[in-house]
Amino acid sequence: MTTAGSVRAEGDHSDRGGLRTALAGLTTRGRSFLAAGAAAAVCAYVLGQSDLLRVGLLLAVLPLVCAGVLYRTRYRVAGSRRLSPPRVPAGSEARVHLRMDNVSRMPTGLLMLQDRVPYVLGPRPRFVLDRVEAGGRREVSYRVRSDLRGRYPLGPLQLRLSDPFGMCELTRSFSTYDTLTVIPRVEPLPPVRLSGEAKGYGDGRQRSLALAGDDDVIPRGYRYGDDLRRVHWRSTARYGELMVRREEQPQRARCSVLLDTRAVAYDGAGPDSAFEWAVSGAASVLTHMLERGFSVRLLTDTGTSVPGEGSDGFVGASQESADAAGLLMDTLAVVDHSDGAGLSLAYDVLRGGNEGLLVAFLGDLDEEQAAVLARMRQRSRGAVAFLLDSGAWLREPSGVPGPLDGGGERPRMLREAGWTVVSVPRGASLEEQWRLADRERSGLAAASGGEGAG
């Protein structure tokens, strides 16, 4: 729960600015009473009617007295806000819980509570709270929803105070606000055996010994609880103490997800655009791989990666999967188009060594960028590319999947370099494309003589 702070319905009574603030809070009813009183007083003076003058003074003084009393009110109200949940997928709803506590020794009057929310989350919520007793509490809630990912501020909370006659209203604002994170939609993916996955956690594991052969053992001293079957007698005789072979160390499989964010590679905007499909696809693949025990890394065309352990940017090796997934989702929630024109910066990150499985979500490609991607394939055990023709997405009717076009010069260049290429039509399900990539890889493996399943 995030405390929004407290407000005091009082001010510096000697400040002329405070008096102007109180008079500015007069409602339409209060201003009407004030104008009617002034008019009655003028008419009474002109006509010489003292009774009419008394009525005019009553009408004019009543809103002024209400404004003064309301401005000098000294009760205090504390407010807090709680988001449930604070991170929500695009298109889903989150509930915002507000709590108001009267921390003063006197009851409040009628209160109107209003929370500021961005336009994309829906209308501004307003609540009317009846009299709150001293030490009392009131709780209200409202729902917000956005089809667009991002980080949206909620607040500050505003409290509108009103007198019993409705002559004056004063607004007090809390100082703090909360942030709702709308992450991309994550689609569950089936467990398939893509090339590059086999050596690691998941369906298989690759183990590395600290030795190349029996004569190249790098033993360590015996520790209480070690299996005696792992005692290395030759090293024991050499060092004069009990030595054991080092345990086999499982190497955690790696998966890099490349998200093409170049503005020149995508046309159109909105929740149904090709770029949003690519962002959602990257989020789904990252979540899927983390659940299978992979260390994952998110790369963009700018060469940056999600902050993680070490300089390689991989997360999940020693973090909880939920924490790693949250870090990745927070990054994808705010990712936007870049001004870059190429993928060479991403290649510079990958060319450091074997990066395991590489999954790329790509927009429109020219020959130069296709050549860069072809070189990337040499730095990974397996590579899968989902190509999105943004022009075709704009031409096809909304909600009607277009024909799956796997031809073209750019896909051919990637396939010749060893990529598994899937051209994504508008409205396609990522689960279907994921299965299609597996079938495509299996066909290429069979044609090349049976590449090891991954």
Side-chain angles (χ1 to χ4, degrees), residues 123-323:
R124 181 172 294 183
R126 293 181 175 89
F127 305 94
V128 177
L129 303 180
D130 293 333
R131 177 179 178 274
V132 182
E133 65 279 5
R137 174 188 302 173
R138 297 290 186 272
E139 295 185 3
V140 294
S141 65
Y142 64 92
R143 294 177 296 179
V144 291
R145 179 182 182 274
S146 175
D147 291 328
L148 299 175
R149 56 186 175 80
R151 293 173 62 86
Y152 300 101
L154 299 178
L157 196 63
Q158 290 183 331
L159 191 64
R160 186 171 296 179
L161 313 175
S162 177
D163 67 281
F165 300 101
M167 297 289 181
C168 182
E169 289 182 349
L170 295 180
T171 300
R172 295 289 184 263
S173 295
F174 293 89
S175 59
T176 59
Y177 64 92
D178 292 292
T179 301
L180 175 67
T181 303
V182 180
I183 63 176
R185 295 184 180 92
V186 175
E187 187 173 345
L189 300 178
V192 298
R193 300 289 298 275
L194 295 172
S195 176
E197 290 187 29
K199 298 180 178 180
Y201 287 5
D203 293 332
R205 296 187 179 183
Q206 175 190 16
R207 293 184 177 270
S208 63
L209 291 173
L211 54 103
D214 189 62
D215 294 333
D216 298 320
V217 173
I218 304 179
R220 62 170 176 82
Y222 175 82
R223 298 171 185 169
Y224 178 79
D226 285 339
D227 191 347
L228 293 178
R229 290 174 296 182
R230 292 177 41 239
V231 173
H232 191 259
W233 298 109
R234 183 178 300 178
S235 298
T236 298
R238 179 179 179 181
Y239 293 102
E241 60 177 317
L242 200 60
M243 307 293 290
V244 297
R245 296 184 179 89
R246 292 184 182 272
E247 296 178 351
E248 296 178 343
Q249 301 294 330
Q251 292 183 346
R252 196 181 188 98
R254 290 183 169 187
C255 175
S256 298
V257 176
L258 172 62
L259 177 62
D260 183 7
T261 64
R262 296 172 299 139
V264 297
Y266 299 94
D267 293 325
D272 297 327
S273 64
F275 179 67
E276 292 301 323
W277 194 98
V279 174
S280 178
S284 301
V285 172
L286 288 167
T287 302
H288 175 71
M289 290 302 183
L290 275 175
E291 291 175 350
R292 297 192 61 192
F294 281 72
S295 294
V296 299
R297 174 175 59 181
L298 172 64
L299 294 177
T300 66
D301 54 285
T302 61
T304 58
S305 62
V306 175
E309 296 180 348
S311 59
D312 54 2
F314 283 92
V315 293
S318 62
Q319 299 178 1
E320 294 293 338
S321 295
D323 296 338

